[in-house]
């Protein structure tokens, strides 16, 4: 089967550490939501270090290519992921249910990583209180700040993201994020006469707890893109990438 291409589908949310008492949302004093967002970002960075230093995990990546509203091709890859020398590395273990025996660890390049670099692009607005499962959460909407730099194609996409994020009230733990593009993105023609459009992109991140900290549980990215060469339509892609983060195991020293 032909492997579907995609524009960068791996979103790895980092993990939150510690506990901060904020108080009930309808208590005597209204929470300072700007301070909450600031502390959230700090905790994301701290827990990213903790979980990466103490745990390895596996990622099951499933790419589905959609044509005429139905799945026309599926590719599955299972990776082992661990931290080495301060950076995350991954090794392909299984591809389409066939074990891979000659794979080696390679540096894991994150296209989007939930942390200060990403969240610093956005303005946050408190929306509502909501219960997810048994946990009381605050829900914030976010939108890109004005006049953000666009040095790369990735910047152009990230600077068009808007959505909502769920935060556990008691611990400030990240719980869930949904995001989508504000508008389609047109990529300019290059030296060889090729360009394209990112018509749609939708993102979902769901978290779980490890050692009282948040860890990524599930990521889904769906996008629709088209390209051209010398102004002739070349390819149209509708891709859904699903990533299951599983088998977190404490590293042996």
């Amino acid at each position: 089967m032909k492997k579907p291409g995609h524009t960068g589908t791996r979103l790895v949310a980092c993990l939150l550490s510690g506990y901060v008492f904020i108080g009930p949302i309808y208590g005597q004093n209204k929470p300072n939501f700007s301070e909450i967002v600031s502390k959230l970002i700090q905790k994301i960075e701290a827990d990213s270090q903790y979980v990466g230093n103490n745990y390895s995990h596996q990622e099951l990546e499933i790419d589905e290519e959609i044509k005429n509203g139905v799945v026309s091709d599926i590719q599955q890859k299972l990776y082992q992921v661990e931290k080495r020398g301060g950076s995350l590395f991954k090794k392909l273990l299984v591809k389409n249910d066939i074990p891979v025996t000659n794979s080696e660890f390679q540096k894991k390049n994150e296209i989007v990583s939930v942390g200060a670099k990403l969240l610093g692009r956005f303005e946050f607005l408190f929306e509502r209180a909501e219960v997810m499962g048994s946990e009381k959460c605050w829900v914030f909407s976010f939108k890109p700040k004005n006049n953000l730099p666009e040095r790369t194609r990735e910047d152009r996409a990230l600077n068009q993201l808007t959505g909502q994020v769920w935060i556990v009230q008691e611990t400030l733990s990240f719980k869930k994020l949904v995001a989508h593009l504000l508008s389609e993105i047109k990529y300019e023609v290059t030296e060889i006469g090729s360009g394209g459009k990112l018509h749609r992109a939708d993102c979902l991140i769901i978290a779980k707890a490890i050692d009282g900290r948040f860890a990524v549980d599930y990521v889904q990215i769906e996008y629709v893109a088209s390209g051209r060469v010398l102004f002739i339509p070349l390819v149209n892609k509708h891709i859904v990438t699903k990533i299951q983060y599983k088998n977190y195991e404490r590293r042996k020293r």
Side-chain angles (χ1 to χ4, degrees):
M1 291 186 294
K2 182 180 179 182
K3 177 182 176 182
H6 51 84
T7 59
T9 57
R10 200 162 286 112
L11 286 88
V12 175
C14 306
L15 310 165
L16 308 179
S17 64
Y19 291 84
V20 177
F21 178 75
I22 301 299
I25 189 169
Y26 298 116
Q28 194 169 13
N29 297 317
K30 182 179 178 179
N32 184 328
F33 291 117
S34 295
E35 183 178 353
I36 289 171
V37 171
S38 177
K39 289 181 177 179
L40 169 69
I41 295 174
Q42 294 175 23
K43 289 163 68 62
I44 284 174
E45 298 293 334
D47 274 14
S48 173
Q49 291 294 321
Y50 174 88
V51 175
N53 290 337
N54 290 280
Y55 284 87
S56 62
H57 70 277
Q58 293 182 339
E59 295 179 12
L60 176 60
E61 180 179 326
I62 303 172
D63 288 334
E64 299 177 347
E65 184 168 6
I66 311 297
K67 289 185 178 180
N68 300 320
V70 298
V71 177
S72 63
D73 186 24
I74 298 178
Q75 297 287 324
Q76 296 189 29
K77 294 180 181 180
L78 177 66
Y79 293 95
Q80 178 72 21
V81 180
E82 58 186 56
K83 197 169 187 179
R84 296 184 171 191
S87 299
L88 286 175
F89 285 76
K90 67 177 184 179
K91 180 172 73 171
L92 182 61
L93 301 178
V94 180
K95 182 177 180 180
N96 296 328
D97 297 324
I98 300 175
V100 177
T101 58
N102 59 351
S103 179
E104 297 181 354
F105 277 99
Q106 298 181 351
K107 190 170 183 180
K108 187 173 185 284
N109 295 317
E110 300 293 353
I111 303 301
V112 180
S113 180
V114 176
K117 184 178 179 181
L118 174 66
L119 297 180
R121 298 172 181 263
F122 303 120
E123 296 176 351
F124 291 83
L125 177 66
F126 172 72
E127 292 286 340
R128 64 187 183 275
E130 184 176 300
V131 176
M132 286 192 66
S134 60
E135 296 177 305
K136 295 180 180 179
C137 296
W138 288 311
V139 184
F140 290 82
S141 62
F142 60 87
K143 64 179 182 179
K145 295 177 180 178
N146 294 325
N147 301 317
L148 292 170
E150 294 186 350
R151 302 181 182 91
T152 65
R153 291 190 173 193
E154 176 190 356
D155 286 339
R156 292 198 65 187
L158 294 178
N159 291 348
Q160 286 291 316
L161 281 181
T162 184
Q164 293 182 318
V165 60
W166 281 253
I167 301 171
V168 179
Q169 292 182 27
E170 183 179 3
T171 64
L172 291 190
S173 295
F174 176 94
K175 187 70 175 178
K176 177 182 174 183
L177 179 145
V178 294
H180 63 272
L181 290 181
L182 284 165
S183 60
E184 71 176 17
I185 300 172
K186 181 179 179 181
Y187 292 107
E188 299 298 330
V189 176
T190 67
E191 292 83 357
I192 61 171
S194 64
K197 289 182 179 180
L198 182 59
H199 301 281
R200 168 189 164 196
D202 300 293
C203 171
L204 167 67
I205 301 172
I206 298 175
K208 60 184 174 184
I210 293 180
D211 288 352
R213 298 165 172 87
F214 128 77
V216 184
D217 187 39
Y218 178 78
V219 171
Q220 181 170 310
I221 302 293
E222 181 172 3
Y223 76 90
V224 179
S226 61
R228 65 183 185 273
V229 173
L230 297 176
F231 308 102
I232 300 173
L234 179 65
V235 64
N236 292 282
K237 290 288 184 181
H238 182 178
I239 303 296
V240 179
T241 295
K242 304 172 183 179
I243 307 173
Q244 300 173 17
Y245 292 69
K246 59 183 187 176
N247 298 335
Y248 281 90
E249 293 185 355
R250 184 172 286 277
R251 296 175 57 187
K252 297 180 181 179
R253 301 296 181 183

